[in-house]
Amino acid sequence: MSIEPPVNSEQFERGSELQAQDQPVIQNNIPPDSGAVSRLNRLEKFWQMLGRIYRTQAILTTTLLLALMLIFTILFPTKFPTAFNLEHLIIDYSGIVILSAGLTFAMTSGEFDLSIGGVLVFTGVMSVKIMGLVGGNTWFTILVGFIVSLGVGGLVGVFNGWCIVKARIPSIIVTLGTSAVSLGLAYIVSGGRDLSEIPPLLSDTLGFGKLFDIVPYTVLAAVLVVTIGAITLNLTRFGRHCAAVGSNIEAARRAGINVNWVVIRIYIISGSVSGLAGYLSLARFSSTTLAGHAQDSLTALLGVVLGGTSLFGGSGTVLGTAIGVFIPGVLSNGLIMAGIIPYWQYVIVGLVLIVVVYADLLRRRNRGS
Amino acid sequence: MSTPLLEAVGLVKHYGHIEALRGADFTVYPGEIVALLGDNGAGKSSLIKAICGVIQPDSGQIRFEGKQVNMSSPLVARKLGIETVFQDLALAPDLDPAGNIFLGQEILYGGILGKLGFLNKREMHRRTEEAFARLGVGIQDSKATVVNMSGGQRQGIAVARSMIWASKIILMDEPTAALGVVQSRRVSDLIRRVKAEGIAIVLVSHNLPFVFEIADRIEVMRLGKRVGRFQVSEASADEVLDVMTGLKVQNEQEALL
């Protein structure tokens, strides 16, 4: 499709470099006489807009997700597209959506956070322990548990951020380390067995409750986190600075941005939303589910990359992430229905991650930067 | 000429045992284009960095509009209306032109939205397009990311950024180093338009034809000192080259200033 944009002002250079790469352009056979100029201008803007949307990975991801859902609907018309199945699918993946929303910030700034799964478990254990110490089955108890979850997650984030900006250790190593540390501490504090002394009030409300009897609170929390995350990343100065740090850290520094503080704040966000996910997991399972989150960091990472956030930083989309997470989700759901051993999902998730990252790499190389 | 806008007098800068600046002088007059020439290691970069506050000289002084100033950080220079376009341009490729131009100095909404850090993207785009129009920077889609743009367009963005924030002087380090012939010509157009805004421009360049085409004046450095000053209209390239390489010494009487 080679269509060229009309030139409507002498200021606009029309050098071939403009049409480089994948910008869709409009073939212009009509000389731009004065009457047609404003209309052509609008048309040109429209094409530019279409081009931007087309280039957005999120659209691709949505298409992929819908295609997967369509396939499973055709294969299992009575099992897959039921309200019950879809509701549980969404609830099951709410926690991962929350984790990956935090991870999106880290990856937009060009860093990794592989500690999120471990932090989820660790914050859950700490929260149960402290709620046990406080005792009772009151709103106060579960509020304390909530604050502990977010606080512990935030503290791990501060540690991650400090190691990355002050000690200058690569984030992939730091967070791999804190992932092991937090998981290890979770096992030590819990004595190696799952704790299930959760205040019933917590599981009855946040765990199984629904807003207006329709929207489960777990899902509502994920929707809130995604909404706030998307707004912050796209529309605020902090989000802009995250992208700038990931795009060209030296440029960000020279522009007077306190780069270290941006990175530390990102890890505080990532840690505390992991804490929130840990708290929600407690509420839903009435247990610390020590062994249940081994794959969470990887699945979240896949969701973020599928959603269109570059592995190399510079641009990210929380909304895309939220959609991307459901690709492994729907896939494993469908595989189970197909009677395939569920462990295949690990194999598939791992392979898809490699392929998606390769595609991202190719796209970067093609941009020639 | 009128009184100098900026004057560096006797700047000395040591890096360990190396003397980058050995009592260097430099003068910028209001609204002119002055080229700073010199061989590699003459001290041009150190001088530029001292003027824009990136490094602090060991001794010597910088006077701005007649008053001595202490360029203790790039922010001081920025407040005085001095901006720098570095050779690598320092652009974030994943942001759009407006995002780059306002990076670190974003325009926020007023009221509660602004307190929450919400960007006024519309206003930033408006001012960006206005600056592009004034400078004749050819960028059709101001919302596309910089990564897809040509070297000349990137240069245009970097210059537009410095022009929006500079009121007095723009320092440009090797603005044509990475550009082809056509794009170099666009950059010289750009520089002339900036000059038309009444902003003085300091050019560091190795590109002698480019300097002779565009500059009003030339100052030559050699071994950390100023060794020559020329009016472009009255100088020849050979003369300048001789002074640059030390074949000929220009005495004070000869300097026609």
Side-chain angles (χ1 to χ4, degrees), chain A residues 11-13 17-18 21 48 52 231 234-237 240-241 244 247-248 251 254-255 257 313-314 364 367 369, chain B residues 78 86 88 90-94 99 103-104 106 108 117-119 121 133 138 140-141 143 147 150 153 186:
Chain A
Q11 285 164 7
F12 289 152
E13 65 177 320
E17 70 265 17
L18 262 186
Q21 325 300 330
Q48 284 167 356
R52 270 196 293 274
I231 288 174
N234 283 322
L235 301 179
T236 72
R237 179 164 56 187
R240 175 63 58 82
H241 288 180
S247 191
N248 184 348
R254 284 199 216 147
I257 295 171
R364 287 243 151 190
R367 306 200 306 188
S369 140
Chain B
R78 202 164 265 179
F86 290 100
D88 65 1
L91 296 174
D94 299 280
L103 190 61
E106 292 84 359
L108 302 179
F118 278 84
L119 300 167
K121 291 187 185 181
Q140 289 184 318
D141 186 355
K143 286 177 181 142
V147 75
S150 69
Q153 289 173 320
R186 289 215 181 98

Side-chain angles (χ1 to χ4, degrees), chain A residues 73-369:
Chain A
T73 304
I74 294 165
L75 289 177
F76 313 107
T78 54
K79 284 194 285 182
F80 182 78
T82 62
F84 177 83
N85 183 49
L86 292 179
E87 185 185 320
H88 277 263
L89 184 66
I90 293 172
I91 293 176
D92 282 346
Y93 277 81
S94 291
I96 309 250
V97 166
I98 290 172
L99 287 181
S100 60
L103 181 59
T104 307
F105 280 83
M107 291 190 54
T108 301
S109 74
E111 306 287 353
F112 286 93
D113 192 349
L114 301 180
S115 70
I116 48 180
V119 172
L120 185 159
V121 175
F122 180 49
T123 53
V125 169
M126 291 302 288
S127 183
V128 174
K129 277 287 178 189
I130 303 285
M131 283 193 286
L133 287 178
V134 173
N137 182 29
T138 63
W139 285 105
F140 175 72
T141 318
I142 66 175
L143 180 68
V144 170
F146 179 75
I147 293 166
V148 168
S149 279
L150 266 66
V152 170
L155 283 177
V156 177
V158 171
F159 181 76
N160 279 337
W162 186 86
C163 288
I164 292 159
V165 301
K166 290 295 177 193
R168 294 176 181 269
I169 307 167
S171 61
I172 194 161
I173 300 300
V174 171
T175 57
L176 198 60
T178 47
S179 172
V181 169
S182 50
L183 210 54
L185 286 176
Y187 275 98
I188 292 166
V189 173
S190 65
R193 56 169 193 90
D194 272 317
L195 307 172
S196 48
E197 299 81 28
I198 281 104
L201 183 64
L202 178 58
S203 47
D204 290 345
T205 53
L206 198 60
F208 295 103
K210 290 180 178 182
L211 182 69
F212 309 127
D213 268 345
I214 304 168
V215 188
Y217 284 120
T218 317
V219 177
L220 189 70
V223 169
L224 269 177
V225 169
V226 168
T227 310
I228 294 171
I231 288 174
T232 307
L233 194 56
N234 283 322
L235 301 179
T236 72
R237 179 164 56 187
F238 174 68
R240 175 63 58 82
H241 288 180
C242 292
V245 167
S247 191
N248 184 348
I249 192 163
E250 193 49 41
R253 228 174 247 134
R254 284 199 216 147
I257 295 171
N258 187 343
V259 169
N260 289 355
W261 179 225
V262 170
V263 172
I264 289 178
R265 272 189 291 173
I266 286 170
Y267 280 94
I268 293 175
I269 290 173
S270 180
S272 46
V273 297
S274 303
L276 174 65
Y279 188 69
L280 290 172
S281 166
L282 269 189
R284 193 161 121 71
F285 296 108
S286 296
S287 161
T288 46
T289 56
L290 286 170
H293 299 278
Q295 289 288 314
D296 282 10
S297 291
L298 188 64
T299 312
L301 182 66
L302 179 62
V304 173
V305 180
L306 273 173
T309 297
S310 173
L311 199 65
F312 306 96
S315 66
T317 151
V318 178
L319 223 53
T321 295
I323 298 164
V325 164
F326 281 97
I327 289 182
V330 168
L331 206 60
S332 78
N333 187 259
L335 288 179
I336 292 165
M337 284 178 188
I340 293 169
I341 313 169
Y343 301 120
W344 275 105
Q345 67 170 291
Y346 299 144
V347 178
I348 292 172
V349 163
L351 289 177
V352 171
L353 180 65
I354 293 171
V355 170
V356 168
V357 168
Y358 181 59
D360 184 34
L361 253 174
L362 282 185
R363 214 169 31 219
R364 287 243 151 190
R365 281 180 201 152
N366 281 338
R367 306 200 306 188
S369 140

